[in-house]
């Protein structure tokens, strides 16, 4: 028993000899601890809250431009809120997984931000998937709902058996 206790004890000499090991990387560790402490003070550090903060500070600035279409932060935020309210009305709640499958466009970003506002998880599915691969991807994430662009509607209907039961 005393032998085990002696092996765990460190002498002042051991501390001095090992101090370079102990202090190596200390500044990096302290910065990490500081960041964690700051995040605990300000837990509002997610996509939805960051977007709303920027929208409140710069409402008239352009948030997104795509193929000749542009939206200001206030317009984008308003549209994302509309989508979030709709999804909430259909029963989407925090923690739900929702598949989002549409080609790149403004509506894709709106859906992702809307889901973030609800605390739901946006599972983005590769738009080139078809058949068994698409079915596997949908089953893998077990979504409560699927948001699909009209250009991919036929691909989703072809794997209808993998779609969640409608609400």
């Amino acid at each position: 028993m005393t032998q085990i206790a002696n092996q765990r004890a460190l002498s002042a000499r051991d501390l001095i000899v090992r101090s370079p090991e102990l202090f190596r990387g200390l500044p990096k560790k302290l910065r990490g601890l500081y960041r964690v402490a700051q995040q605990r003070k300000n837990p509002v550090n997610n996509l939805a809250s960051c977007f709303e903060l920027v929208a409140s500070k710069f409402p008239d600035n352009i948030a997104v431009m795509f193929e000749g279409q542009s939206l200001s932060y206030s317009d984008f935020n308003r549209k994302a809120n509309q989508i979030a309210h709709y999804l909430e009305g259909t029963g989407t709640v925090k923690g739900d997984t929702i598949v989002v499958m549409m080609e790149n466009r403004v509506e894709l970003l709106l859906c992702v931000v809307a889901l973030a506002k609800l605390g739901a998880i946006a599972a983005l599915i590769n738009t080139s998937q078809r058949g068994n691969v698409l079915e596997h991807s949908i089953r893998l994430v077990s979504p409560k709902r699927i948001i699909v662009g009209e250009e991919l509607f036929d691909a989703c209907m072809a794997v209808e058996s993998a779609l969640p039961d409608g609400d």
Side-chain angles (χ1 to χ4, degrees):
M1 174 91 75
T2 57
Q3 188 177 17
I4 293 172
N6 288 339
Q7 287 178 353
R8 290 186 183 162
L10 287 175
S11 68
R13 180 184 172 278
D14 290 334
L15 285 174
I16 292 169
V17 169
R18 293 185 181 172
S19 63
E21 283 177 43
L22 297 173
F23 294 110
R24 190 175 310 137
L26 186 62
K28 188 175 183 179
K29 291 173 185 170
L30 290 174
R31 282 192 304 272
L33 289 172
Y34 175 77
R35 287 186 185 124
V36 168
Q38 291 301 94
Q39 286 180 345
R40 286 188 180 156
K41 281 192 227 173
N42 183 14
V44 184
N45 211 5
N46 59 48
L47 174 65
S49 61
C50 290
F51 191 87
E52 288 182 3
L53 177 66
V54 172
S56 69
K57 287 184 176 183
F58 309 103
D60 298 325
N61 286 12
I62 293 175
V64 63
M65 289 177 66
F66 183 72
E67 294 183 348
Q69 181 184 6
S70 67
L71 286 174
S72 68
Y73 279 99
S74 62
D75 289 339
F76 188 101
N77 196 43
R78 181 180 48 76
K79 288 179 183 243
N81 285 337
Q82 287 174 338
I83 294 169
H85 289 302
Y86 171 78
L87 291 169
E88 187 176 43
T90 63
T92 301
V93 295
K94 182 177 182 171
D96 284 349
T97 299
I98 309 296
V99 161
V100 181
M101 188 173 168
M102 63 179 70
E103 297 292 339
N104 289 341
R105 60 174 181 257
V106 173
E107 292 79 11
L108 173 65
L109 297 174
L110 286 166
C111 288
V112 170
V113 172
L115 289 167
K117 286 174 179 271
L118 295 175
I121 301 156
L124 305 177
I125 301 288
N126 185 326
T127 59
S128 65
Q129 292 182 352
R130 300 290 186 273
N132 292 337
V133 176
L134 176 58
E135 184 174 343
H136 172 74
S137 293
I138 293 172
R139 286 186 188 277
L140 191 64
V141 298
S142 302
K144 184 171 181 183
R145 292 193 170 62
I146 296 175
I147 300 172
V148 60
E150 66 180 85
E151 71 280 4
L152 297 166
F153 186 76
D154 290 340
C156 281
M157 288 298 98
V159 295
E160 188 174 5
S161 63
L163 302 178
D165 293 335
D167 289 335

